[in-house]
Amino acid sequence: MEDIEDLLIGNGSGSPPGFRLPLNAVGVNLKKNKNKPKLHAKQLSETPISSKIPGTQSDSEYMAGQLSSFGYSLSDSPEEADLWLINTCTVKSPSQSAMDTLISKGKSAKKPLVVAGCVPQGSRNVKELEGVSIVGVQQIDRVVEVVEETLKGHEVRLLNRKTLPALDLPKVRKNKFVEILPINVGCLGACTYCKTKHARGHLGSYTVDSLAGRVKTVIDDGVKEIWLSSEDTGAYGRDIGVNLPILLNAIVAELPSDGSTMLRIGMTNPPFILEHLKEIAEVLRHPCVYSFLHVPVQSGSDAILTAMNREYTVNEFRTVVDTLTELVPGMQIATDIICGFPGETDKDFSQTVNLIKAYKFAQVHISQFYPRPGTPAARMKKVPSNIVKQRSRELTSVFEAFTPYNGMEGRVERIWITDIATDGIHLVGHTKAYVQVLIVAQESMLGTSAIVKITSVGRWSVFGEVIETLNQINQKSKSVEKILSEEKCSPCSDPCDSCACSGESEPCACGPESCGGQSTLEQSDILQNEVLREDQNRRNLIGWLLRKRKNQAQKMVENGIASGSQKKQEWAKRAPEEWGVVDRALLGGLIVSVFTTVALLIHLGFKTMSSK
């Protein structure tokens, strides 16, 4: 499954070692049923780096999940595939031309084709789609039907529906630690250069309860980052009588209190968050929410913003940035710029450059204007292409000269680790402000959080070394809690004595009142260390007998002699594979002794009979 940014811009030469673009080619090869045909899936989302189009990644994951659950195998090889599935998106870049090329190749190879996403939804009558099956952006839950009918030689077109696809559809995540959660489809805007509204329709929001429920489910699945996805996050809920802060607070309430799972808020345009800036800032300050927001400005000129029909002014954009920066410590904002929009003068472009220089954004996606057929902007008088390219190069030079991470060297930061860098050496983590941190560590640290010291900084990311891993055994947290509740030490009679159940001298796991007022954090560390030691002591027969005797004595006092028989039943039910080395050795010795005794008795019997 490939993204169009990889096809168009390659690996991004000039990036520092290990730098990983947010979106990369991912191959999925699921072989659940060898009798099912192989499918080749390509995702043609259009915009690289920070301003990827929300929804397309999530759509691809849902479609891959449904197909795999029905036994289909997704192949990296177009030649081996029995069918090609192409997912597309259209905003302002030439995705349709890439789609046309793939369709042409597929037809030449005589492969059945299914095209999904925004391009066929918004341009369903283009010549290239003749003889090709189509899945609309709100019909992804029926992709299996479309694939099966297409393999039979039928042309299927599913484009319109009145209800949203279910959130609990099967899905194959490109990153098992990241859940891309669509909160709504469509938008309220009418930008003159964009076909998203034409393709995805008017705003349709999922309910707060359904989204909060989905968050709870994916956390139980082991997800460590949740990305809210939308054409415009700020517009959420306006069609169902709620708003974004209500949703964000409901989702935050479902996040684990230990900070093991983080929330990343998706792209939002300025108009719909202006009235909620303080509430959104409060959410962004939450320890489990990245202090990061993608707010596209597109131009630093009010005249161009009016021509784009963006429905805000440059000053209103500044208000968003200034307010969030003031209210949220370490706040990072990413933005987008379109160079060479029809009618853009040198003065307009100069205002854009000055805006970018003023804020020195760490992330800016710069694109050249591309006319989407059927949009109002496509009919406007174009800026000469050589000027558009020159402006794009100039703004890129300005942006790349920034050093946003200078001053971070030597700082200690908490990071959340969810990916492997393209160099295969570094793991990729992010700070609370969503600064990319590259560390050298074992892959077992994926899905954990760690304290790191920043050792050096680059243009696009920083490098760090791990000081401490905070939740390396998060996936076993439930079993750890169970061990603590069932096998923790009985209350110590003397706070100065070590716990008898530990088998060695160690601090007891009593509460702060009985152990000299230890802090909650210290108490947590002691409990966690005790679990590890308890696991080691399980392999020691003497330690086990001591714990057994102490626990039974305590139980007899509290619950009567009946609890002793219950413990014996539990011991009888223990699986042999859970026994320690000493347990197995004693059992083996007992068996050998029995056989030896029997052999001696038989020998004596024969000897007695022969003497007679």
Side-chain angles (χ1 to χ4, degrees):
M1 191 173 296
E2 297 178 5
D3 298 314
I4 191 63
E5 50 267 30
D6 297 307
L7 304 176
L8 295 179
I9 65 174
N11 294 327
S13 59
S15 300
F19 177 67
R20 186 179 183 88
L21 295 177
L23 297 179
N24 276 293
V26 175
V28 182
N29 191 14
L30 305 177
K31 298 181 179 178
K32 293 182 65 177
N33 186 343
K34 294 183 179 180
N35 296 322
K36 283 284 187 178
K38 291 184 178 180
L39 310 179
H40 179 63
K42 279 184 178 288
Q43 177 181 330
L44 299 182
S45 59
E46 295 196 330
T47 316
I49 312 181
S50 61
S51 63
K52 70 180 186 301
I53 305 307
T56 54
Q57 256 194 318
S58 179
D59 290 353
S60 294
E61 291 181 348
Y62 277 124
M63 287 190 287
Q66 291 174 83
L67 290 165
S68 65
S69 68
F70 275 80
Y72 287 96
S73 172
L74 274 69
S75 173
D76 291 336
S77 172
E79 293 76 19
E80 294 180 3
D82 299 288
L83 177 143
W84 290 8
L85 171 60
I86 305 168
N87 191 27
T88 68
C89 184
T90 176
V91 176
K92 56 196 178 195
S93 296
S95 180
Q96 186 167 330
S97 61
M99 180 197 74
D100 295 344
T101 300
L102 285 175
I103 291 176
S104 177
K105 289 182 178 179
K107 288 181 177 179
S108 298
K110 297 183 179 181
K111 300 288 186 180
L113 300 173
V114 176
V115 180
C118 296
V119 172
Q121 185 82 53
S123 308
R124 65 189 72 179
N125 296 320
V126 297
K127 183 179 179 181
E128 287 75 15
L129 293 176
E130 292 179 2
V132 174
S133 291
I134 291 175
V135 183
V137 294
Q138 294 185 25
Q139 296 278 11
I140 59 173
D141 54 341
R142 299 181 65 183
V143 67
V144 175
E145 300 173 55
V146 176
V147 165
E148 290 184 341
E149 290 301 316
T150 303
L151 286 169
K152 295 175 184 177
H154 302 151
E155 179 183 340
V156 182
R157 296 201 164 201
L158 292 178
L159 293 172
N160 299 318
R161 71 181 298 168
K162 295 182 179 180
T163 58
L164 296 173
L167 288 171
D168 59 354
L169 294 173
K171 70 189 303 185
V172 176
R173 297 187 181 96
K174 298 180 76 173
N175 182 328
K176 70 177 183 178
F177 298 113
V178 177
E179 167 73 5
I180 302 172
L181 180 62
I183 63 173
N184 61 300
V185 299
C187 69
L188 295 175
C191 300
T192 56
Y193 56 82
C194 181
K195 292 194 74 172
T196 297
K197 187 167 185 176
H198 186 199
R200 292 191 171 253
H202 292 283
L203 184 67
S205 303
Y206 288 95
T207 65
V208 172
D209 289 344
S210 65
L211 291 167
R214 179 64 181 172
V215 167
K216 185 175 181 181
T217 298
V218 301
I219 290 173
D220 291 340
D221 290 343
V223 162
K224 299 302 177 184
E225 283 190 7
I226 298 170
W227 299 356
L228 300 187
S229 171
S230 168
E231 279 74 41
D232 187 353
T233 302
Y236 169 80
R238 290 174 178 259
D239 57 318
I240 57 174
V242 294
N243 57 44
L244 182 60
I246 292 174
L247 172 66
L248 295 178
N249 285 310
I251 290 177
V252 166
E254 299 294 340
L255 300 178
S257 59
D258 63 356
S260 58
T261 302
M262 295 294 287
L263 176 68
R264 195 185 83 175
I265 303 175
M267 185 273 289
T268 179
N269 288 312
F272 301 114
I273 62 169
L274 278 167
E275 60 190 273
H276 301 302
L277 283 177
K278 290 185 178 180
E279 295 96 322
I280 292 174
E282 184 176 356
V283 173
L284 290 167
R285 288 196 300 268
H286 192 280
C288 297
V289 181
Y290 284 121
S291 304
F292 170 84
L293 198 60
H294 176 200
V295 187
V297 64
Q298 306 299 7
S299 176
S301 164
D302 283 337
I304 297 302
L305 291 178
T306 299
M308 292 178 172
N309 198 29
R310 291 290 290 170
E311 300 180 338
Y312 58 86
T313 65
V314 175
N315 281 338
E316 287 173 331
F317 171 78
R318 288 178 178 270
T319 297
V320 171
V321 176
D322 292 342
T323 302
L324 294 179
T325 302
E326 178 184 354
L327 297 179
V328 183
M331 182 70 195
Q332 292 283 328
I333 292 178
T335 194
D336 299 351
I337 295 293
I338 300 175
C339 290
F341 188 83
E344 184 183 65
T345 64
D346 289 341
K347 180 181 178 181
D348 296 325
F349 177 68
S350 177
Q351 291 174 340
T352 298
V353 172
N354 290 337
L355 179 69
I356 299 302
K357 285 182 176 180
Y359 287 100
K360 292 183 171 59
F361 298 106
Q363 297 183 39
V364 181
H365 171 242
I366 301 167
S367 64
Q368 300 174 22
F369 172 74
Y370 180 85
R372 296 295 301 139
T375 60
R379 300 189 294 271
M380 299 178 183
K381 185 177 181 180
K382 298 178 183 177
V383 176
S385 59
N386 62 319
I387 295 178
V388 175
K389 293 177 181 178
Q390 185 273 328
R391 289 175 180 172
S392 176
R393 285 193 296 266
E394 180 181 340
L395 187 58
T396 299
S397 297
V398 169
F399 164 62
E400 291 183 347
F402 298 157
T403 53
Y405 307 129
N406 277 7
M408 287 191 66
E409 189 170 351
R411 279 167 49 177
V412 175
E413 297 273 356
R414 180 177 182 177
I415 64 169
W416 289 262
I417 307 162
T418 57
D419 215 338
I420 302 173
T422 51
D423 64 358
I425 299 173
H426 295 85
L427 299 185
V428 181
H430 291 90
T431 67
K432 173 73 163 64
Y434 210 66
V435 175
Q436 183 173 259
V437 182
L438 303 175
I439 61 171
V440 176
Q442 298 294 321
E443 288 188 21
S444 60
M445 286 192 67
L446 287 171
T448 69
S449 180
I451 302 297
V452 301
K453 181 178 181 180
I454 306 302
T455 56
S456 62
V457 301
R459 173 58 186 87
W460 311 105
S461 56
V462 301
F463 295 82
E465 60 181 20
V466 177
I467 298 175
E468 178 186 4
T469 302
L470 298 180
N471 54 335
Q472 194 165 9
I473 54 174
N474 254 9
Q475 295 180 352
K476 299 181 181 178
S477 58
K478 291 186 178 180
S479 61
V480 170
E481 291 172 4
K482 186 176 180 181
I483 292 172
L484 281 173
S485 63
E486 292 181 353
E487 300 187 13
K488 64 182 180 181
C489 298
S490 59
C492 301
S493 58
D494 187 348
C496 297
D497 291 340
S498 62
C499 289
C501 64
S502 67
E504 59 184 81
S505 179
E506 63 179 74
C508 73
C510 305
E513 295 79 12
S514 60
C515 287
Q518 291 171 315
S519 69
T520 304
L521 182 60
E522 292 170 341
Q523 177 75 6
S524 175
D525 291 338
I526 291 171
L527 289 176
Q528 191 175 60
N529 290 334
E530 182 190 339
V531 173
L532 299 177
R533 283 190 291 267
E534 191 76 15
D535 184 62
Q536 294 172 349
N537 287 338
R538 278 177 169 275
R539 303 177 186 179
N540 183 288
L541 180 62
I542 297 175
W544 180 83
L545 290 172
L546 287 174
R547 292 196 307 277
K548 189 75 172 179
R549 181 178 180 184
K550 183 176 181 66
N551 287 341
Q552 283 205 346
Q554 185 71 20
K555 291 282 185 181
M556 289 177 65
V557 174
E558 296 175 351
N559 303 321
I561 300 176
S563 62
S565 60
Q566 182 179 2
K567 283 287 183 180
K568 290 178 182 178
Q569 292 174 2
E570 291 177 359
W571 163 249
K573 293 179 181 178
R574 284 184 66 190
E577 59 266 20
E578 294 180 358
W579 295 359
V581 175
V582 177
D583 297 331
R584 294 175 185 273
L586 287 175
L587 179 61
L590 180 61
I591 292 172
V592 171
S593 298
V594 170
F595 278 110
T596 302
T597 302
V598 171
L600 286 172
L601 289 173
I602 293 172
H603 176 71
L604 290 173
F606 277 115
K607 189 174 183 180
T608 302
M609 292 175 63
S610 62
S611 64
K612 292 179 179 181

